[in-house]
Amino acid sequence: MSADPLSDALAVADARSVLSGGFTAGGDWAINLRGRDRLKVNALVRGECLLLREAGGEPVRLAEGDIVVSDGAKPYVLCSRPGIRPLDSADVTVDPVTRMARLGDGEADVVCVSGHIDLSRDRGDLLRRALPELVHVRADAAEAGALRWLIGQLTAEMTTRRAGVEFASDHLSQLMFVQVMRVCLTDAEGLPPGWLRALADERLAPALRLMHEHPAHPWQLEELARAAAMSRTTFAVRFKEAAGVPPLTYLLNWRMSLAARSLRQDTAPVAELARSVGYTSESAFSNAFKRTVGVAPRRYREEATARR
């Protein structure tokens, strides 16, 4: 693995960003969106609308160029104004060529492209736990320039339908999600405790990078604290507050994430895989994996193979 925890996490989670379509809307309209086991992404290409959460609270006003990422746990509504009964996204007629739906009966003054981040391959835990319920990236954010370009390219791909549109759209939406994650790193206070919040802490980041770069190393708390230029106690307290778990528990979870990805993707013997994440004993690794993931390594591999 590299010393870039963000790239590592995206790779280990097998996160796959897919542009699923979008809609144009005008007049009075509302649509109910569900993420299920996927992160849901909406980018407002043109116009303005409101986002209403299932739990209530103040509507979130979205402007042209804004992007929202939902953790997929709860549905939400995009609408022209409150009080309109929303259509379910599953009941909307979508153009088979452009993959765009038409909402409302007025002049189309709103254009929104939608996508999702498929998290099913690692059961969604690694990325979903690191993000708040809803991420709102405003058009004037530091990453707005790059995001506007990506949104423009995505829209062009969907409307022109040139050769290679599926491949290009998926990769552009993946880049868009990386930019959103970078925005999250600039606002650590808005993140729940987890690896992303720990990475956003400049004092903790060096220790986090060491664990990612050398996961098989038998790291001790003193070594990691020294890398962060802190005392052992100060480091342990600060790391747990940011990551939600103690440093060595984080290391264990990261090793198991790496192991899970290997079990999904290759056929290396379990003993060899155990050594790659710091275990000299296959039985010790198997016990740790089962405690962390919920099933034994061989069973996990069998289930992953069956899903493929």
Side-chain angles (χ1 to χ4, degrees):
M1 300 303 292
S2 68
D4 176 5
L6 178 55
S7 295
D8 290 349
L10 292 170
V12 167
D14 291 338
R16 181 171 178 262
S17 184
V18 179
L19 184 70
S20 55
F23 62 84
T24 61
D28 288 336
W29 60 273
I31 184 168
N32 191 46
L33 301 171
R34 302 174 184 274
R36 296 184 175 89
D37 65 343
R38 305 175 295 189
L39 297 177
K40 184 73 176 175
V41 182
N42 294 105
L44 204 60
V45 178
R46 188 173 76 227
E48 296 182 349
C49 68
L50 296 178
L51 184 151
L52 309 178
R53 305 189 202 207
E54 184 183 54
E58 287 296 313
V60 178
R61 184 168 296 278
L62 304 181
E64 186 172 311
D66 284 11
I67 295 176
V68 290
V69 180
S70 162
D71 68 359
K74 298 177 182 177
Y76 57 94
V77 171
L78 295 182
C79 62
S80 57
R81 62 176 176 81
I84 302 172
R85 184 175 181 178
L87 295 171
D88 192 278
S89 57
D91 298 329
V92 174
T93 302
V94 177
D95 186 297
V97 177
T98 64
R99 293 190 292 180
M100 299 287 284
R102 178 68 169 90
L103 305 176
D105 54 9
E107 182 181 351
D109 53 8
V110 173
V111 178
C112 179
V113 294
S114 304
H116 64 263
I117 313 297
D118 186 358
L119 302 177
S120 59
R121 283 170 284 189
D122 83 326
R123 304 180 186 181
D125 289 342
L126 188 63
L127 288 182
R128 184 178 290 122
R129 284 200 306 248
L131 292 169
E133 178 185 330
L134 189 76
V135 178
H136 179 195
V137 182
R138 291 176 172 81
D140 59 359
E143 303 287 347
L147 284 168
R148 274 196 299 272
W149 183 87
L150 288 166
I151 292 170
Q153 294 299 307
L154 279 168
T155 306
E157 289 292 339
M158 292 180 66
T159 54
T160 60
R161 305 301 294 178
R162 297 168 62 191
V165 58
E166 301 290 342
F167 185 85
S169 296
D170 286 354
H171 282 72
L172 285 165
S173 55
Q174 181 87 331
L175 288 171
M176 188 171 74
F177 181 63
V178 172
Q179 294 298 113
V180 170
M181 297 289 278
R182 287 172 173 170
V183 171
C184 290
L185 287 173
T186 66
D187 183 24
E189 294 304 313
L191 295 171
W195 64 267
L196 194 59
R197 184 169 171 179
L199 179 59
D201 188 323
E202 293 182 358
R203 296 288 304 278
L204 297 176
L208 203 67
R209 292 191 183 101
L210 283 177
M211 287 188 276
H212 278 247
E213 188 172 12
H214 305 290
H217 181 81
W219 293 107
Q220 298 298 314
L221 195 57
E222 291 81 2
E223 292 177 281
L224 297 171
R226 191 160 54 246
M230 298 182 200
S231 71
R232 185 176 181 274
T233 301
T234 301
F235 171 73
V237 170
R238 183 163 178 158
F239 193 99
K240 186 174 182 179
E241 287 178 350
V245 293
L248 298 184
T249 301
Y250 175 90
L251 177 61
L252 169 66
N253 291 339
W254 178 241
R255 286 170 169 171
M256 296 305 108
S257 293
L258 291 173
R261 186 197 188 199
S262 294
L263 289 166
R264 292 193 302 270
Q265 293 189 347
D266 61 49
T267 58
V270 173
E272 179 182 324
L273 193 157
R275 288 191 295 274
S276 73
V277 292
Y279 288 82
T280 56
S281 163
E282 180 180 338
S283 61
F285 163 73
S286 296
N287 290 335
F289 189 90
K290 186 172 183 178
R291 281 196 305 271
T292 306
V293 179
V295 295
R298 297 181 193 281
R299 176 66 180 275
Y300 183 92
R301 172 173 275 164
E302 290 170 359
E303 291 178 353
T305 301
R307 285 196 300 271
R308 286 202 302 270

